[in-house]
Amino acid sequence: MSSRISTSSSIHPPMGIASLESQQSWPSSTPFSQPEPGDYDDDNGTELLSVSWNQDYGCFAVGTSNGFRIYNCDPFKETFRRDLKSGGFGIVEMLFRSNILALVGGGANLQYPPNKVMIWDDHQSRCVGEYAYRSNVRGVKLRRDRIVIVLEHKIYVYDFTDLKLLHQIETQSNPKGLCCLSHHSSTSVLACPGLRRGEVRVEHFGLKMTKVISAHDSQISCMTMTLDGLLLATASTKGTLIRIFNTMDGTQLQEVRRGLDRAEIYSIALSTNVQWLVVSSDKGTVHVFRLRVRVGGEDASFQLPAVQAPEMVHQNSSTPVDALISPNTGANNNSSLYFMRGVLPKYFSSEWSFAQFHLPEVTRYIAAFGSQNTVMIVGMDGSFCRCTFDPVNGGQMLQTEYVRFLKADRHQPQSVNS
């Protein structure tokens, strides 16, 4: 399964958000056409092909049948859009709020088919690199020094500076394009499905170490990592349990239960302070769980930048597991028969969600944390919802904002990237 790569003579480093907040016309060299101002409210015939968060959940990208759009979450507003005459994009991957985007064609896009990745530099207003494969691209992940392209059975890792291939990773069948990257400058971690059912392979590139975690008995269906790559959360195709692991030694730190019935998990997200986890599924309920993972203070041995502190205490293979587990263990709901754990079936001793929000079971949703105990939910029906939860008492969340950002006549829920 080979790839063909074409690159430009130079790649500018990522610039600021300003280049993604302009709705001015592009130079004539761009393959994208800029719509007229009056066209922004006319979404008739526009299909939503994909939605995905950026790395810090401050924005999300939307791939449509005739281009792509970028939305800011707080305050909510459309900040950027490009329309194409030749079709739309099934994958739109942001790099934080920079000028770099990875685009994969979708829908009726003839110029950029689904087996080709285009690295778009908005600062230069042109494509700076393309990767073409024999099979369709299932996912793309970006960090400031790496490009990761996911095919159904293989993952390619490239250097961002020269677009040269660094690593190839074989996986089990991965039609959802599951893959996670760390985004801290001091760690370089990648997590993806392993070669056996229920396995997650974790690559610590900086340490030149590979860890295989037996996460579930069923196939992996969803996963996410903390920004530093030290904490991994996974769900299987059964969709009843979410498990949290230490990526250094593979130790399971916590297990929480979404429900008893089988469900398709659409998204899992961790809060930046590593205190909360949110899950969305086809059951129409968004669940928030309190994590029992200890967070570090000033004397933590591994520090994130101030905007992301506090964070999980760094653990190497010789550190006791207890160092990662908070003494506060009673936050999530438990069965009234929890005291008989070990005697009754396992679900009686499960940790159930701390807070919940109910949605119509009509489309796919992805969820993530905002600021001040808020959860943001984006739907493939073109909806954005913000709700708050009580960090002390939990229970039903309160909706505080609802926006229909794309009023299309019809929506085809094809791709949701967590």
Side-chain angles (χ1 to χ4, degrees), residues 98-124:
S98 75
N99 53 297
I100 300 296
L101 294 165
L103 306 171
V104 179
N109 194 328
L110 301 177
Q111 185 173 2
Y112 294 102
N115 67 327
K116 181 185 292 185
V117 178
M118 179 176 70
I119 307 301
W120 177 263
D121 186 341
D122 185 57
H123 179 66
Q124 301 186 61

Side-chain angles (χ1 to χ4, degrees), residues 252-312:
Q252 181 177 311
L253 302 176
Q254 190 174 354
E255 177 184 276
V256 296
R257 180 174 290 275
R258 179 212 55 80
L260 297 176
D261 298 331
R262 180 180 291 270
E264 181 181 356
I265 302 297
Y266 292 149
S267 70
I268 305 174
L270 296 158
S271 64
T272 55
N273 61 9
V274 201
Q275 292 182 352
W276 306 100
L277 179 146
V278 64
V279 177
S280 65
S281 74
D282 64 353
K283 295 300 183 180
T285 301
V286 173
H287 294 272
V288 171
F289 300 87
R290 185 188 290 275
L291 296 181
R292 293 184 287 109
V293 177
R294 185 187 298 275
V295 293
E298 294 180 353
D299 57 349
S301 59
F302 185 86
Q303 291 292 326
L304 287 175
V307 295
Q308 299 166 354
E311 60 91 44
M312 188 179 74

Side-chain angles (χ1 to χ4, degrees), residues 97-400:
R97 294 170 179 259
S98 75
N99 53 297
I100 300 296
L101 294 165
L103 306 171
V104 179
N109 194 328
L110 301 177
Q111 185 173 2
Y112 294 102
N115 67 327
K116 181 185 292 185
V117 178
M118 179 176 70
I119 307 301
W120 177 263
D121 186 341
D122 185 57
H123 179 66
Q124 301 186 61
S125 294
R126 65 190 181 96
C127 176
V128 295
E130 289 184 355
Y131 297 90
Y133 303 89
R134 295 178 181 175
S135 61
N136 288 353
V137 175
R138 300 299 184 176
V140 182
K141 299 295 179 182
L142 300 178
R143 55 175 275 158
R144 299 186 191 280
D145 58 352
R146 295 291 183 267
I147 301 169
V148 177
I149 298 175
V150 185
L151 307 184
E152 184 161 348
H153 294 278
K154 183 173 285 191
I155 294 176
Y156 294 91
V157 182
Y158 299 90
D159 190 306
F160 218 139
T161 58
D162 57 14
L163 303 185
K164 291 184 178 179
L165 181 65
L166 298 176
H167 308 281
Q168 299 183 50
I169 302 172
E170 300 282 346
T171 71
Q172 201 177 37
S173 177
N174 184 16
K176 290 187 174 182
L178 300 179
C179 184
C180 301
L181 283 179
S182 67
H183 296 283
H184 192 274
S185 59
S186 299
T187 60
S188 182
V189 186
L190 179 149
C192 64
L195 289 173
R196 293 186 175 92
R197 184 179 64 186
E199 284 186 349
V200 177
R201 175 173 175 169
V202 181
E203 293 287 345
H204 291 267
F205 292 119
L207 301 176
K208 297 182 179 180
M209 180 182 76
T210 301
K211 185 67 184 178
V212 177
I213 300 173
S214 296
H216 299 271
D217 294 331
S218 304
Q219 299 277 15
I220 303 298
S221 67
C222 196
M223 64 173 67
T224 191
M225 282 198 307
T226 48
L227 288 175
D228 56 22
L230 300 181
L231 194 68
L232 170 74
T234 65
S236 74
T237 52
K238 191 174 180 180
T240 55
L241 299 172
I242 294 89
R243 292 174 175 150
I244 298 93
F245 298 91
N246 167 21
T247 64
M248 294 296 292
D249 63 7
T251 304
Q252 181 177 311
L253 302 176
Q254 190 174 354
E255 177 184 276
V256 296
R257 180 174 290 275
R258 179 212 55 80
L260 297 176
D261 298 331
R262 180 180 291 270
E264 181 181 356
I265 302 297
Y266 292 149
S267 70
I268 305 174
L270 296 158
S271 64
T272 55
N273 61 9
V274 201
Q275 292 182 352
W276 306 100
L277 179 146
V278 64
V279 177
S280 65
S281 74
D282 64 353
K283 295 300 183 180
T285 301
V286 173
H287 294 272
V288 171
F289 300 87
R290 185 188 290 275
L291 296 181
R292 293 184 287 109
V293 177
R294 185 187 298 275
V295 293
E298 294 180 353
D299 57 349
S301 59
F302 185 86
Q303 291 292 326
L304 287 175
V307 295
Q308 299 166 354
E311 60 91 44
M312 188 179 74
V313 176
H314 176 63
Q315 177 187 3
N316 56 38
S317 58
S318 63
T319 304
V321 176
D322 290 345
L324 285 179
I325 300 179
S326 168
N328 179 10
T329 59
N332 292 319
N333 295 317
N334 297 111
S335 167
S336 61
L337 299 177
Y338 178 77
F339 68 95
M340 297 185 66
R341 61 191 182 278
V343 178
L344 295 175
K346 186 176 180 181
Y347 62 78
F348 284 107
S349 60
S350 295
E351 293 184 52
W352 298 76
S353 60
F354 178 79
Q356 308 82 31
F357 185 74
H358 299 284
L359 294 157
E361 298 177 31
V362 296
T363 190
R364 292 172 174 255
Y365 299 95
I366 60 174
F369 290 99
S371 60
Q372 299 178 348
N373 303 316
T374 63
V375 172
M376 304 173 296
I377 304 166
V378 181
M380 287 295 292
D381 58 352
S383 64
F384 174 87
C385 173
R386 194 191 318 274
C387 51
T388 62
F389 63 94
D390 185 331
V392 177
N393 300 312
Q396 294 300 314
M397 291 187 272
L398 176 66
Q399 180 177 302
T400 59

